[in-house]
């Protein structure tokens, strides 16, 4: 069970609490900030890794999936949906969720298709990892849970999904928090070669395009995932227990198929499904995101990521970018939970 956090007591500790949490604290410098924000309450200090698990997981039929998800916070609170990426799982938000719950939010953290307890309802459904399919999964999840509108936060694949929801279904998105900014892509854009140094960062994408890569990922799933963690977050000294809690979600029977299809589809080496063509055509136009947004980046992100200046103009609503200093890597919400939770609260004050 999640450790109970007394929000008001922790706020009163003030500077002393921040001293205790000095190893976790990162400085957020604001760039591209727009005026007119309110002054929301500060998130209480928390040491990274304080929480190791969620409460009992829930399941709901949603679209083509029986989706597994964690939930925290009051049932009548404003909803926040937090989306993980690869090779990660819901534990990306294991410290973020209780912080937001203590601030009064209802927090939903679903397993993506191919992860954890999420399962396809039919063996006949295509194990499709394309971006629009994953995004639509979360619209159908919102429908199943009778959630009309939510703040969406995401990291890695989850950030791409969050951006897609904000772009295509803005009426369902109260606000957006996206790690590494605007990540919507298209097969056509992905045909363009990158400079050699940038191409090198995508080595695993090309590996997955081969039969050897598919067999290798299936055989060495956990070893592969741990290597990606180390490369993507070179200054995060996670322990085996932290990794193993997430790695258990890769035992999902569809995990390898979804991961391989996702990367092959991006390169145009695997077909998508016709029913998603209209969505993909809209995404290929790289729509501007109009909802209030905060983008985040860690100063030690070892994974491929765009410079914030590249995507700033893709957000036309109230917008702010924050770079977290102090060695924060790619899995930002788990490495810097206080900063991520604060961004969620702040963007709701825009």
């Amino acid at each position: 069970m999640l450790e109970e956090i007394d929000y008001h007591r922790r706020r009163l500790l003030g500077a002393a609490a921040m001293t205790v949490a000095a190893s976790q604290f990162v400085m957020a410098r604001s760039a591209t900030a727009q005026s007119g924000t309110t002054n929301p309450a500060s998130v209480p200090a928390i040491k990274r890794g304080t929480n190791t698990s969620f409460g009992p997981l829930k399941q709901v039929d949603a679209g083509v999936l029986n989706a597994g998800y964690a939930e925290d916070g009051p049932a009548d609170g404003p909803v926040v949906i937090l989306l993980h990426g690869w090779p990660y799982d819901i534990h990306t938000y294991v410290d973020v969720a209780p912080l937001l719950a203590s601030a009064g939010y209802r927090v939903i953290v679903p397993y993506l298709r191919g992860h954890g307890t999420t399962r396809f309802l039919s063996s006949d459904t295509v194990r499709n990892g394309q971006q629009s399919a994953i995004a639509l999964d979360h619209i159908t999840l919102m429908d199943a849970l009778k959630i009309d509108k939510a703040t969406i936060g995401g990291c890695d694949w989850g950030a791409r999904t969050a951006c897609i929801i904000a772009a295509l279904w803005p009426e369902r998105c109260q606000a957006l928090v996206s790690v590494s900014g605007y990540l919507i892509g298209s097969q056509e854009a992905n045909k363009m070669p990158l400079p050699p140094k940038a191409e090198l960062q995508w080595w695993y994408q090309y590996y997955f395009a081969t039969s050897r890569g598919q067999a290798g990922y299936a055989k060495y799933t956990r070893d592969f995932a741990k290597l990606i963690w180390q490369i993507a977050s070179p200054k995060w000294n996670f322990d085996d227990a932290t990794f193993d809690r997430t790695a258990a979600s890769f035992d999902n029977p569809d995990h390898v198929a979804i991961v391989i299809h996702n990367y092959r589809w991006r390169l145009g080496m695997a077909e998508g499904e016709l029913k998603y063509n209209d969505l993909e055509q809209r995404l290929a136009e790289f729509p501007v995101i109009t909802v209030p947004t905060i983008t985040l980046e860690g100063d030690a992100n070892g994974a491929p990521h765009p410079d914030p200046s590249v995507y700033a103009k893709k957000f036309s609503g109230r917008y702010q970018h924050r770079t977290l200093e102090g060695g924060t890597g790619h899995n930002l919400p788990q490495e810097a939970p206080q900063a991520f939770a604060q961004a969620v609260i702040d963007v709701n004050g825009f």
Side-chain angles (χ1 to χ4, degrees):
M1 295 293 290
L2 288 170
E3 179 179 320
E4 190 70 24
I5 298 176
D6 184 337
Y7 177 66
H8 297 290
R9 180 178 64 84
R10 295 297 292 273
R11 281 196 68 197
L12 291 173
L13 290 175
M18 293 304 293
T19 300
V20 171
S23 61
Q24 162 59 34
F25 180 72
V26 288
M27 294 180 63
R29 66 173 183 261
S30 173
T32 327
Q34 294 191 7
S35 60
T37 61
T38 62
N39 200 11
S42 297
V43 171
I46 186 173
K47 184 179 179 181
R48 178 175 64 201
T50 294
N51 301 285
T52 59
S53 64
F54 293 92
L57 298 180
K58 300 181 179 182
Q59 301 287 141
V60 65
D61 287 350
V64 300
L65 301 174
N66 177 255
Y69 65 98
E71 181 169 353
D72 197 8
D76 60 350
V79 181
V80 176
I81 299 175
L82 303 176
L83 306 178
H84 70 81
W86 172 87
Y88 306 100
D89 81 332
I90 62 175
H91 289 85
T92 289
Y93 301 103
V94 73
D95 284 322
V96 172
L99 287 173
L100 293 175
S102 72
Y105 290 91
R106 178 190 178 192
V107 186
I108 308 291
V109 191
Y111 278 113
L112 302 188
R113 55 170 59 192
H115 294 74
T117 61
T118 291
R119 296 290 189 276
F120 286 92
L121 293 172
S122 172
S123 60
D124 296 328
T125 302
V126 176
R127 271 41 179 178
N128 182 348
Q130 74 184 100
Q131 60 179 359
S132 57
I134 294 174
L136 193 59
D137 286 345
H138 294 93
I139 293 297
T140 58
L141 175 64
M142 292 176 70
D143 291 342
L145 297 177
K146 296 180 171 54
I147 297 170
D148 293 328
K149 200 167 190 175
T151 297
I152 313 292
C155 184
D156 195 80
W157 289 20
R160 178 175 295 107
T161 302
C163 286
I164 292 171
I165 293 171
L168 298 187
W169 295 279
E171 71 281 2
R172 308 298 297 273
C173 186
Q174 179 70 31
L176 171 67
V177 175
S178 177
V179 176
S180 297
Y182 187 95
L183 297 180
I184 296 172
S186 75
Q187 287 183 318
E188 189 63 30
N190 287 337
K191 291 178 181 179
M192 297 299 295
L194 301 172
K197 187 176 181 179
E199 294 281 19
L200 180 62
Q201 291 185 301
W202 285 113
W203 64 273
Y204 57 89
Q205 183 168 259
Y206 307 130
Y207 179 65
F208 287 163
T210 68
S211 57
R212 179 187 179 97
Q214 182 172 3
Y217 186 60
K219 183 175 182 179
Y220 299 108
T221 306
R222 293 193 179 206
D223 291 338
F224 200 100
K226 182 174 282 189
L227 176 61
I228 297 296
W229 278 37
Q230 292 165 342
I231 293 171
S233 298
K235 296 186 178 182
W236 181 27
N237 295 317
F238 58 88
D239 57 22
D240 287 342
T242 297
F243 175 77
D244 289 343
R245 283 190 286 271
T246 287
S249 72
F250 308 151
D251 295 334
N252 184 295
D254 300 305
H255 178 75
V256 173
I258 294 299
V259 171
I260 296 299
H261 185 267
N262 177 280
Y263 286 103
R264 289 184 176 181
W265 178 87
R266 290 191 203 183
L267 291 178
M269 302 189 71
E271 295 294 328
E273 293 181 81
L274 290 176
K275 63 183 179 179
Y276 299 114
N277 280 2
D278 288 345
L279 294 177
E280 293 296 347
Q281 288 172 7
R282 292 171 62 189
L283 293 173
E285 296 174 356
F286 301 104
V288 169
I289 291 173
T290 60
V291 305
T293 300
I294 292 176
T295 57
L296 299 170
E297 188 59 81
D299 67 341
N301 185 359
H305 61 278
D307 187 272
S309 63
V310 172
Y311 54 72
K313 292 183 179 179
K314 301 305 294 183
F315 301 98
S316 65
R318 289 189 173 180
Y319 171 68
Q320 186 180 98
H321 175 76
R322 299 174 180 180
T323 296
L324 306 185
E325 300 178 346
T328 303
H330 185 62
N331 191 15
L332 187 151
Q334 195 163 358
E335 297 177 59
Q338 183 178 341
F340 189 92
Q342 189 67 61
V344 172
I345 292 174
D346 289 349
V347 81
N348 276 279
F350 278 16

